[in-house]
Amino acid sequence: MEGAIANIDVGLLKKYDRPGPRYTSYPTAPLFTPAFTADDFRREIIATNTPDASPDLSLYFHFPFCDTLCYFCGCTMLVTRDRKRIEEYNGYLQKEMALVAPLIAPHRQATQLHWGGGTPSYLSPDQIVSIAGAIRAAFPIAADAEASVEIDPRELARPHLEALRQAGFNRMSMGIQDFDPHVQAAVNRVQPPEVSRQVYTWARELGFTSVNLDLMYGLPFQTLASFERTVHDIIAYDADRIAVFNYAHVPWLKPHQRLIRPEDLPSPELKLDMLKMTIEMLTQNGYEYIGMDHFAKPDDELSRARAARTLYRNFQGYSTRAGADLYGFGMSSISHFRNVYAQNTKNLPEYYRALDAGRHATHLGYRMTGDDHLRKFVIMRLMCDLELEFATVEQKFRIDFLKVFARALEELKPLASDGLVELSDSGIRVVGPGRLLLRNIAMCFDAYLERLTREKPIFSRTV
Ligand code: SF4
C-alpha cells in the first residue's frame, strides 16, 4: 500500500529529533512583527480586489473559550464557565466581520470555512445558529464549501451537532488524545470512551461527511501497551482521518504545562516506539500516511488531494483547497493572502478595544519578499507532494535552482546519505523515513531558521 511505511528505524528518527517549525506557514510566525499595522492590513485587503485575484475565500473563526483546562493544551484559549462571555465575544466577531466584509469584492465567496479554538462546540446550539447566520450574512458561502469544526465531545449534546449541520458544517474534528483513564486524569481531560463514541455516532447519523479524530502521544503515564490499546480502539471507529500529534512540552511558551510533571512523561525513546507502533498499526489497518501526523482513508479527500497534487498546508495543517485568500476572525487568528500575513492580538481586552475603536485588531504581521514566496513554494510542495522537480520551480520563479539553493542542497546531502531523500540532477524525492522527517527536510530551505533559533528555543521538536 502506498501509504504504508515499513521498518521504521527508531535510531534514525532519534538522530533527527531537534527543534523545528511545523511550516503551517512560511516564513514562520516568530518572524511576524508589530511594524505591520492595522492600517497596513486594511490597505492590503482593499488591494486584493483585482481582476486577476483568486475569487475564493477561506474563512477561519477562532472561538477561544473552554470549560476546563487540558494541561497539554497548546492552543490560544481561555477557561470560563460564564457563558455570557461567549455571547459578548460573538458580538465582537460580528463587529470584525462588519469591518472586513465591505472591503472585499462582493462576488468573492468562501469555499472553505473553519471554526477552531478553544472549543467552538462550547457554544450553545442557539449561539451556533446565530453566529453561523451572521457569517453567511457577511460573506457568500459556496454551496460545496468545505466547512469544518473542532469538537470537544465532553458536555456536548446532539442538538449542538444538529445546529452545526444546520449551519452547513460537513466535517468535524474531535479530540480524543488517549482512552486510558490514568492518562486522562493526569492531563485533566476526563473523557469516557462512551462519550466519544456517542458523539461520533451522532456525527455519522447527522451526515458529517468527513470525521477526523485526534490522538496525542508523549502524554504523562502513557506506555507502549496503553497507547497501543488506544490506537486499537480508535481504529475500530473507522474514522475518515486520524491525526496523531506529538505532545510538545514547551512550558516556557505555555506556562500551564508546568502542571504536567516532567518525570511523568514518557522518555524520548518510548515516544519514538509509540510513534513507530502507531504508524505501523494505522497503515496496516487501511489508513494512508499523508505526512506530518496525518492519516486518512484512501477514499478521503485528503488522500485524493495528495494523489492529485493539490494538497496544501495552512494553519490547520493539511488542506485540500489551495489558492483561497485566508481571513482569520477572532483573537489570535491569522489572515494570509498575496504578500501578507496578519495576526490579531492574543489579548482579549485588546481585541475588544480595537474593534470598539473601529480598527482591525492586527497585532503582528509580515510582508513577504520574492525570496519568501520561492522558499514557501519549495517547502509546501516537498511537504505535500513529497517531491520537487527543479524545472517546475525554475519556470515558475525564473531562477537557476542549483545556484539559488546550492547551500540547501549541500545541507540535504547527509539526509540523502541516511536515506531520507533522493537527490538527482532534476529534483528531490522524499523517501522511506524521510516521510516522517518532513520538517527536517524543509528546514534546509528555511532562510531564517538559524537566526531564529540562535538565541532561545522557540520551536517544538521534530519527532
Ligand atoms: S479543549 Fe482543546 S483548546 Fe480547550 S484546553 Fe483542552 S486542548 Fe485546549
Side-chain angles (χ1 to χ4, degrees):
M1 183 202 303
E2 201 203 340
I5 298 182
N7 303 324
I8 296 166
D9 177 350
V10 170
L12 194 62
L13 296 185
K14 187 159 187 225
K15 176 176 171 185
Y16 284 94
D17 183 17
R18 65 190 62 153
R22 300 179 59 79
Y23 295 110
T24 49
S25 70
Y26 183 84
T28 52
L31 263 297
F32 298 179
T33 147
F36 186 93
T37 65
D39 286 341
D40 291 329
F41 183 50
R42 184 181 172 80
R43 274 192 292 274
E44 291 290 345
I45 301 175
I46 294 167
T48 60
N49 297 317
T50 55
D52 63 329
S54 155
D56 296 344
L57 303 175
S58 173
L59 306 178
Y60 173 79
F61 289 81
H62 192 75
F63 294 93
F65 299 109
C66 300
D67 74 337
T68 52
L69 170 67
C70 310
Y71 296 162
F72 57 80
C73 182
C75 305
T76 303
M77 52 75 203
L78 298 161
V79 175
T80 185
R81 292 287 173 114
D82 180 358
R83 289 181 162 271
K84 283 205 268 333
R85 291 187 72 189
I86 299 180
E87 204 60 51
E88 182 187 28
Y89 182 82
N90 288 357
Y92 278 91
L93 285 179
Q94 294 189 48
K95 280 192 185 202
E96 192 177 12
M97 285 190 274
L99 210 54
V100 172
L103 306 179
I104 299 176
H107 72 278
R108 303 179 68 191
Q109 57 175 1
T111 53
Q112 211 170 29
L113 173 68
H114 186 89
W115 285 10
T119 308
S121 59
Y122 193 33
L123 273 64
S124 69
D126 286 347
Q127 287 169 334
I128 289 170
V129 170
S130 154
I131 190 70
I135 293 169
R136 281 183 186 274
F139 298 98
I141 311 260
D144 65 343
E146 177 189 286
S148 56
V149 57
E150 293 169 16
I151 296 288
D152 180 349
R154 298 170 301 166
E155 319 237 349
L156 184 125
R158 190 180 164 108
H160 289 90
L161 294 186
E162 287 168 352
L164 287 164
R165 284 293 290 138
Q166 190 189 328
F169 284 92
N170 45 32
R171 282 137 222 267
M172 68 174 234
S173 182
M174 180 162 102
I176 300 236
Q177 324 309 347
D178 192 305
F179 285 120
D180 189 292
H182 192 198
V183 176
Q184 291 188 355
V187 297
N188 196 38
R189 188 185 171 107
V190 174
Q191 184 175 321
E194 51 279 14
V195 169
S196 305
R197 173 54 88 172
Q198 176 63 83
V199 172
Y200 182 84
T201 305
W202 287 333
R204 288 306 193 199
E205 287 169 2
L206 291 168
F208 281 86
T209 52
S210 181
V211 179
N212 172 78
L213 302 177
D214 285 345
L215 294 184
M216 190 171 275
Y217 70 98
L219 295 176
F221 302 116
Q222 280 177 334
T223 66
L224 192 57
S226 77
F227 201 59
E228 192 174 340
R229 280 194 296 278
T230 287
V231 177
H232 174 270
D233 291 352
I234 211 99
I235 288 169
Y237 274 70
D238 204 27
D240 306 280
R241 302 177 188 178
I242 295 176
V244 187
F245 297 107
N246 176 3
Y247 167 57
H249 192 62
V250 285
W252 58 91
L253 294 177
K254 299 283 171 186
H256 62 252
Q257 291 184 346
R258 295 207 174 90
L259 295 165
I260 291 179
R261 297 189 311 177
E263 60 269 34
D264 296 337
L265 292 171
S267 67
E269 289 75 19
L270 178 53
K271 280 179 74 177
L272 289 174
D273 286 340
M274 286 195 270
L275 174 65
K276 174 180 160 75
M277 174 274 296
T278 305
I279 293 169
E280 288 172 352
M281 277 182 74
L282 291 179
T283 53
Q284 284 159 14
N285 283 278
Y287 287 92
E288 292 196 359
Y289 177 66
I290 301 294
M292 291 287 300
D293 326 309
H294 291 274
F295 299 80
K297 287 281 183 68
D299 57 351
D300 186 82
E301 212 182 338
L302 217 50
S303 300
R304 284 191 271 123
R306 196 189 63 165
R309 292 169 178 260
T310 54
L311 206 59
Y312 189 69
R313 271 183 82 65
N314 63 17
F315 293 103
Q316 278 78 56
Y318 282 104
S319 163
T320 56
R321 309 268 168 111
D325 284 359
L326 169 67
Y327 284 91
F329 296 87
M331 62 180 281
S332 80
S333 67
I334 300 178
S335 300
H336 175 47
F337 46 82
R338 288 182 11 137
N339 293 325
V340 299
Y341 289 97
Q343 180 165 29
N344 277 349
T345 174
K346 293 183 178 179
N347 178 303
L348 192 61
E350 240 174 64
Y351 173 71
Y352 290 169
R353 268 198 302 276
L355 292 166
D356 280 337
R359 269 187 291 112
H360 299 282
T362 313
H363 172 59
L364 299 170
Y366 186 87
R367 221 179 271 282
M368 292 174 75
T369 64
D371 185 66
D372 292 335
H373 279 288
L374 166 63
R375 288 172 189 271
K376 178 186 172 195
F377 180 83
V378 169
I379 287 173
M380 293 299 153
R381 288 341 309 154
L382 275 171
M383 294 188 93
C384 295
D385 301 342
L386 308 176
E387 62 183 3
L388 187 76
E389 291 288 326
F390 297 154
T392 311
V393 187
E394 290 180 334
Q395 277 157 23
K396 188 170 169 67
F397 291 92
R398 310 214 168 280
I399 56 144
D400 177 340
F401 194 96
L402 298 182
K403 212 160 137 193
V404 173
F405 288 111
R407 186 171 157 191
L409 292 169
E410 207 48 45
E411 285 179 28
L412 274 178
K413 279 186 182 160
L415 282 71
S417 306
D418 281 334
L420 310 187
V421 288
E422 281 173 5
L423 300 175
S424 70
D425 292 344
S426 61
I428 303 165
R429 214 158 74 84
V430 180
V431 291
R435 296 175 58 194
L436 305 177
L437 295 164
L438 293 175
R439 290 161 79 173
N440 300 69
I441 295 165
M443 281 154 71
C444 299
F445 294 92
D446 185 335
Y448 304 106
L449 192 61
E450 204 181 304
R451 170 151 71 87
L452 283 176
T453 52
R454 205 178 295 141
E455 280 149 27
K456 54 179 183 178
I458 49 171
F459 296 114
S460 59
R461 301 189 76 83
T462 54
V463 176

